[in-house]
Amino acid sequence: MPELPEVETVRAGLAPELVGRSIRALAITDFPGVIGTGTIEETSARIVDRSIADVARRGKFLMIVLDDGDGIVVHLRMTGVLTLDESSAPPPRFLRLSALLDDGRELRFADQRKFGRFVAASSQELSDLDGRLGPEPFGPNFTPDYLLTRLRGRRAPVKALLLDQGIVAGLGNIYVDEALFLARIHPMTSGGSLTPAQVSELHSTIVSVLHSGIARRGVSFSSFRDVYGNSGENQQHLVVYGRGGRGLPCLVCGEPVQRIVIGNRGTSFCPACQPFGQT
DNA sequence: ACACTGCCCTGCGAGC
DNA sequence: TGCTCGCAGGGCAGTG
């Protein structure tokens, strides 16, 4: 389940390889799913033979920006994997799309569960997407005050609000559970009931879990790989995610980690370290 | 505006 | 052994 650190790992791997290159041809093996609503011809016409100017990331979206300002929006969703391979290399399982590059290599998009997308986008569409998303967690606009303002008056569980990409971009189920645990906040706590001190602590743990995730090249539970097929190692450092409902103890206090469902997401938390109703 | 639900999709592991 | 079923969940559409 790629979140900001995983997508950033992919971006950092792709950027030095792709900038200045161009895509010669597209081969789509999961049509229309992977490219959204457009036709193959349409999508190819917008992408092929344009020089790649930048590989950017916004939240969990990867944006391959072309020299005319248009681009490609890639979302890995749950199981998407982007790799850079020699064309002679055997295709990966679950291959959905491959883009032949002008140096003979292929940018390949594999996706077991077909949730991922690789979609041509105009500069206007790139800009619209940017506008729908909240600030980048590492950017200047994501401050404790900003987070406090966005949570104020909200009755939904703080966990659900942190998953809202319009509030802050890039968090997913793993890093939200980790950040709430480190801030000692129960995931069901309504956003508006958090004290400024709690929000400030939460802001700090969000930034910190994402930094650690990037430093360890992401979490590879099952499918996630970087562009060369290498696993990340952050799964070895998670303290609460995935431990709930299996009788596993909290790594801090030893109490069994619990599992509940919030917003249709499995949620792990420690009832002792993250007591409900404390402000 | 906000809160919440269901849908998409398939491999895997648990249980019988 | 072989089947069924629940689970993993990001983003978006739809409902109230």
Side-chain angles (χ1 to χ4, degrees):
Chain A
M1 47 295 312
E3 304 179 25
L4 187 153
E6 290 73 32
V7 180
E8 177 58 25
T9 299
V10 172
R11 190 209 63 77
L14 285 181
E17 302 292 339
L18 290 189
V19 171
R21 309 236 74 96
S22 58
I23 293 169
R24 284 260 186 271
L26 277 186
I28 294 163
T29 45
D30 174 40
F31 179 79
V34 70
I35 58 169
T37 52
T39 67
I40 296 176
E41 294 72 23
E42 231 170 42
T43 299
S44 292
R46 296 169 70 175
I47 290 173
V48 164
D49 290 335
R50 288 190 166 72
S51 175
I52 294 170
D54 193 16
V55 182
R57 180 192 56 73
R58 193 64 178 89
K60 303 175 213 175
F61 292 85
L62 205 58
M63 297 168 167
I64 300 175
V65 184
L66 305 172
D67 55 6
D68 56 3
D70 294 346
I72 305 165
V73 173
V74 185
H75 201 299
L76 305 174
R77 294 286 185 102
M78 313 299 302
T79 51
V81 179
L82 271 180
T83 52
L84 216 40
D85 302 319
E86 299 300 328
S87 331
S88 56
R93 212 178 160 192
F94 311 123
L95 181 68
R96 305 297 174 205
L97 175 151
S98 54
L100 178 63
L101 301 176
D102 59 359
D103 63 1
R105 289 185 297 173
E106 286 183 12
L107 176 64
R108 290 168 168 173
F109 187 49
D111 186 15
Q112 176 197 118
R113 276 155 66 183
K114 299 186 179 180
F115 280 9
R117 292 292 180 267
F118 186 106
V119 179
S122 66
S123 59
Q124 183 61 53
E125 288 167 326
L126 292 179
S127 161
D128 291 347
L129 173 60
D130 179 66
R132 286 201 302 275
L133 296 171
E136 283 294 314
F138 301 144
N141 296 330
F142 184 63
T143 62
D145 270 354
Y146 165 81
L147 188 56
L148 186 63
T149 303
R150 292 302 302 265
L151 297 181
R152 187 174 295 146
R154 300 293 298 266
R155 281 172 301 175
V158 60
K159 159 125 187 187
L161 297 173
L162 292 180
L163 289 172
D164 181 346
Q165 303 300 297
I167 292 180
V168 56
L171 288 173
N173 208 32
I174 295 176
Y175 292 95
V176 166
D177 277 10
E178 294 292 300
L180 287 169
F181 175 80
L182 293 177
R184 304 176 64 90
I185 294 170
H186 192 294
M188 278 298 293
T189 313
S190 72
S193 75
L194 294 171
T195 66
Q198 283 180 307
V199 172
S200 181
E201 179 65 14
L202 182 57
H203 171 272
S204 150
T205 62
I206 287 169
V207 172
S208 133
V209 295
L210 294 175
H211 267 307
S212 304
I214 291 173
R216 295 176 183 129
R217 306 182 58 75
V219 163
S220 296
F221 273 125
S222 51
S223 53
F224 177 72
R225 297 293 184 272
D226 71 13
V227 296
Y228 300 109
N230 302 307
S231 297
E233 55 181 45
N234 199 38
Q235 63 279 6
Q236 301 162 28
H237 299 269
L238 300 178
V239 287
V240 74
Y241 173 82
R243 296 179 68 83
R246 304 198 282 146
L248 296 173
C250 170
L251 296 175
V252 169
C253 76
E255 281 290 303
V257 176
Q258 288 193 5
R259 181 185 182 277
I260 56 176
V261 175
I262 301 176
N264 292 325
R265 302 286 181 272
T267 300
S268 291
F269 72 100
C270 171
C273 294
Q274 299 164 268
F276 188 59
Q278 301 248 133
T279 51

